[in-house]
Amino acid sequence: MRFSGAQRVPDSRVEMFIRKKFLSADECSGLIALIDGLRRPSTITDAYGADADFRTSETADLPGDDPLVRDVYARLADYAGLPIAHAELLQGQRYAPGQQFKAHTDYFEPTGLDYFPHTEDGGQRSWTMMVYLNEPRAGGATRFVHLNKLIQPETGKLVAWHNRTADGGVNANTLHAGMPVRAGTKYVITAWFRDGPRARPPVW
């Protein structure tokens, strides 16, 4: 069953699930090591008008031929009942003290200048699945602005949400921010699924 054992967030404005201990501490440590070896400055899809400090984290594109990455991605897809062929490459993010990602949505803005180039391969983003890999000493929560909900990092905790509305539109209530880390370092992985299959599979 999809999202078996997860808590559904009791808010009719969004379809969101939280599952603690989705990944083990050892799996999280292995993914953190991969991120540290591959990290680069994070980017945003549409930087027009954005502040210089809008997104200050680091990102790692995780290799689809790594056995741990393959296993984790397969479990994410199975858990959500989503075709892995619709997924983007798995990404990891690292937030050092003071780093953040200001309020944003994961879907591609239909009125944005880059909407068509970004959706040409697989279409719009449907689901986001994010797993916290550790717990920073302070800060680093995920804040869903319109839902007035703050989710604290916990090692292995999965947060999944649907970026779409029932009528097929995009759900602005998924606006969220990675709050600044105040002490320690925060690591997460993020999987995004599209409406249709991608030209290149995320694992091989």
Side-chain angles (χ1 to χ4, degrees), residues 141-156:
T142 306
R143 177 176 176 247
F144 285 85
V145 179
H146 299 315
L147 306 177
N148 194 29
K149 185 167 186 62
L150 199 67
I151 300 176
Q152 297 293 343
E154 295 180 43
T155 301

Side-chain angles (χ1 to χ4, degrees), residues 107-108 110 115 124-126 162-171 195:
Y107 57 77
F108 301 111
Y115 174 76
Q124 181 63 277
R125 282 177 173 166
S126 56
H162 196 197
N163 293 294
R164 313 297 293 277
T165 56
D167 63 2
V170 293
N171 190 347
D195 286 339

Side-chain angles (χ1 to χ4, degrees), residues 84-159:
I84 199 165
H86 292 202
E88 301 178 25
L89 287 174
L90 190 65
Q91 280 195 350
Q93 289 85 31
R94 180 185 188 272
Y95 293 80
Q99 291 186 333
Q100 64 178 329
F101 193 174
K102 292 185 178 180
H104 63 283
T105 53
D106 286 359
Y107 57 77
F108 301 111
E109 179 55 55
T111 59
L113 295 175
D114 293 332
Y115 174 76
F116 289 106
H118 284 307
T119 57
E120 185 176 7
D121 183 11
Q124 181 63 277
R125 282 177 173 166
S126 56
W127 280 87
T128 298
M129 300 184 73
M130 182 179 72
V131 183
Y132 300 103
L133 302 179
N134 75 323
E135 301 168 21
R137 292 198 300 276
T142 306
R143 177 176 176 247
F144 285 85
V145 179
H146 299 315
L147 306 177
N148 194 29
K149 185 167 186 62
L150 199 67
I151 300 176
Q152 297 293 343
E154 295 180 43
T155 301
K157 181 164 74 175
L158 166 71
V159 184

